[in-house]
Amino acid sequence: MCSTPKTNLAAATPKVPFRSFMASMTLAQRQQFAEVANRADERRKIREDRLKGQSNNKNAASTSNTTGNQNMPLMKKLLQFCKQHIVI
């Protein structure tokens, strides 16, 4: 015999059947919802990639023995590249 207690009451079923909030939307509303959700997902992915890149750059800067090229602004990098590779 099992010693677990048993209830005498049947499980109460909800009186109103469950409907998802998407079921009550029109097609246009669902499309608008999907567009907003997709934009939010894209922003979230960009933010996560940017945060991963920042943590990777911090790790790379602390472990590498470079002359500071990683912290150099883009215009200075471009000018340095032009001086090295383009003959005027």
Side-chain angles (χ1 to χ4, degrees), residues 11-24:
T13 58
K15 293 182 173 133
V16 178
F18 175 76
R19 286 182 50 182
S20 70
F21 72 97
M22 293 291 278
S24 62

Side-chain angles (χ1 to χ4, degrees), residues 67-81:
T67 60
N69 277 345
Q70 296 165 344
N71 296 331
M72 189 183 303
L74 182 61
M75 285 303 294
K76 286 187 178 181
K77 287 181 182 180
L78 181 61
L79 288 172
Q80 185 180 18
F81 177 81

Side-chain angles (χ1 to χ4, degrees), residues 24-62:
S24 62
M25 291 182 168
T26 64
L27 179 61
Q29 289 173 328
R30 283 188 293 230
Q31 288 174 340
Q32 178 68 24
F33 179 83
E35 289 173 7
V36 172
N38 288 339
R39 284 195 307 261
D41 187 49
E42 289 172 5
R43 286 192 308 269
R44 186 172 26 259
K45 287 179 183 177
I46 290 169
R47 185 175 55 242
E48 288 173 355
D49 290 343
R50 187 175 59 233
L51 291 174
K52 286 179 185 176
Q54 287 176 353
S55 65
N56 288 343
N57 284 342
K58 288 179 183 177
N59 291 340
S62 65

